[in-house]
Amino acid sequence: MKLLQHFSDDLESLVARASPAVVGVEHARGHGTGLFLTPDGYVLTNRHVVVRGSRKLTVQLSNGEELRGTLVGSDAPTDLAVVRAEGGDFPTLPLAEPESVRVGQLVMAIGNPFHLEQSVSLGVVSAINRSIGLPDGVMLEGMLQTDAAINPGNSGGPLLNMRGQVVGLNTLVLPYAQGIGFAVSATTAAWIASLLIQRGKVDRRFLGIAATAVSLDARLTRENGQSRAVKVLRVQDGTPAHEAGLQVDDLLLAINQRPVNSVDDLQRLMALATEDEVTLDLLRKGRGRKTARARTRPRIEPVAA
């Protein structure tokens, strides 16, 4: 009984610490949740929360105060957006390191489902690195799956570990299932938000592969100096990857000499690439390590209806 009481007290303390950094994001055509990224008012939320509204938004604080917000930028491939709230000295929450997020880990969601402000639900990380297709053709990759209750209005709110660190940003649920929700990882959210704040958008170079992160065996880890890589699952015809000779089952190790350990690394490095041509270090079964050069082109994003 004492153990349960201590656990309950810890959860209560965690909610009290985290809630002030969680906000409502409202406009004439909908609502959702957001999270203060910086003390000077940059709020991270989902793109689908704000994209159908005007650039004039309302940010509602945990104490009920309402502030004017302005859309800074959004990114379709990750369904993320940044809003700037008027004012300053806002509370923030730390982001979790990617290696600390594990399947089975206890997590808590805080948000505004159905306008029920500051609602809290508890669950676990059910899986990592999920890929989810959306009706408008966008493929969300590297997602966290959770059974913490997520409902309309939770979108854009934090998924927290028991240390009070943000492991992900709650994004969507499967409408035909119960207890299956998804969150954009905090790692992805951090670099996307940084580019949105700096540039207002995320420019990507298009490669043309579907991929997933895999662990390397002990021998490959020793030989290549990294324990993970990205495995090519599909190569689209006529794309830069196809023209560069990439094949299904190739293991992508690096882009422009920077290690690729996850799909998030792949997306980030393609977004940061400044030249048309990128150098790809990869492993091909039976042939060892090789280098390929892909002449990429700007990625054209689908436009939401």
Side-chain angles (χ1 to χ4, degrees):
M1 183 65 74
K2 286 185 178 180
L3 181 61
L4 288 176
Q5 186 59 56
H6 286 315
F7 181 57
S8 178
D9 291 343
D10 288 342
L11 288 179
E12 184 181 350
S13 176
L14 173 57
V15 172
R17 297 197 313 272
S19 291
V22 181
V23 300
V25 179
E26 309 257 348
H27 56 80
R29 299 180 63 183
H31 77 285
T33 308
L35 169 72
F36 276 122
L37 275 177
T38 64
D40 57 346
Y42 285 104
V43 173
L44 182 64
T45 187
N46 281 140
R47 178 178 182 269
H48 75 260
V49 169
V50 298
V51 73
R52 294 179 185 273
S54 68
R55 296 185 68 88
K56 185 182 293 186
L57 305 164
T58 299
V59 175
Q60 185 177 53
L61 306 186
S62 60
N63 63 7
E65 182 182 358
E66 293 186 350
L67 306 173
R68 181 177 176 179
T70 304
L71 179 62
V72 174
S74 65
D75 181 57
T78 56
D79 193 26
L80 293 174
V82 172
V83 172
R84 183 75 181 271
E86 293 182 343
D89 197 26
F90 297 111
T92 62
L93 293 171
L95 302 182
E97 294 296 328
E99 60 272 12
S100 71
V101 182
R102 297 179 296 276
V103 174
Q105 186 176 45
L106 277 173
V107 285
M108 175 187 294
I110 304 179
N112 301 330
F114 303 108
H115 285 285
L116 300 172
E117 292 84 1
Q118 299 291 316
S119 293
V120 178
S121 59
L122 190 67
V124 300
V125 175
S126 305
I128 59 177
N129 290 320
R130 294 294 199 203
S131 296
I132 307 296
L134 300 183
D136 60 4
V138 172
M139 178 67 73
L140 299 178
E141 300 190 52
M143 302 287 285
L144 303 179
Q145 180 183 329
T146 181
D147 67 348
I150 298 174
N151 292 285
N154 269 117
S155 293
L159 190 66
L160 301 161
N161 63 21
M162 295 299 100
R163 299 184 183 90
Q165 300 168 329
V166 180
V167 302
L169 202 74
N170 300 317
T171 298
L172 59 89
V173 294
L174 294 183
Y176 47 83
Q178 292 184 358
I180 301 180
F182 298 93
V184 180
S185 75
T187 307
T188 300
W191 69 263
I192 290 290
S194 176
L195 290 177
L196 291 177
I197 291 171
Q198 293 174 41
R199 308 174 185 173
K201 61 180 181 176
V202 179
D203 294 317
R204 288 175 173 81
R205 309 301 299 179
F206 175 64
L207 194 56
I209 63 172
T212 188
V214 296
S215 296
L216 302 180
D217 62 30
R219 179 181 64 82
L220 291 178
T221 296
R222 289 195 305 271
E223 292 175 355
N224 295 283
Q226 62 191 78
S227 61
R228 292 177 65 80
V230 166
K231 183 178 181 179
V232 177
L233 301 177
R234 186 174 68 253
V235 180
Q236 292 178 250
D237 291 341
T239 62
H242 179 256
E243 294 165 359
L246 268 67
Q247 300 177 8
V248 172
D249 292 335
D250 281 348
L251 297 178
L252 184 58
L253 297 170
I255 296 177
N256 292 338
Q257 291 77 53
R258 296 183 179 182
V260 174
N261 295 290
S262 65
V263 174
D264 186 69
D265 285 343
L266 172 61
Q267 293 179 339
R268 177 174 54 83
L269 292 172
M270 293 304 293
L272 294 175
T274 57
E275 303 294 333
D276 290 342
E277 188 175 87
V278 296
T279 300
L280 309 173
D281 292 330
L282 54 91
L283 288 174
R284 180 163 295 164
K285 189 174 182 180
R287 300 185 188 177
R289 186 163 181 147
K290 64 170 296 182
T291 298
R293 288 179 174 81
R295 190 164 185 82
T296 63
R297 52 181 179 266
R299 176 172 176 168
I300 300 175
E301 308 298 352
V303 178

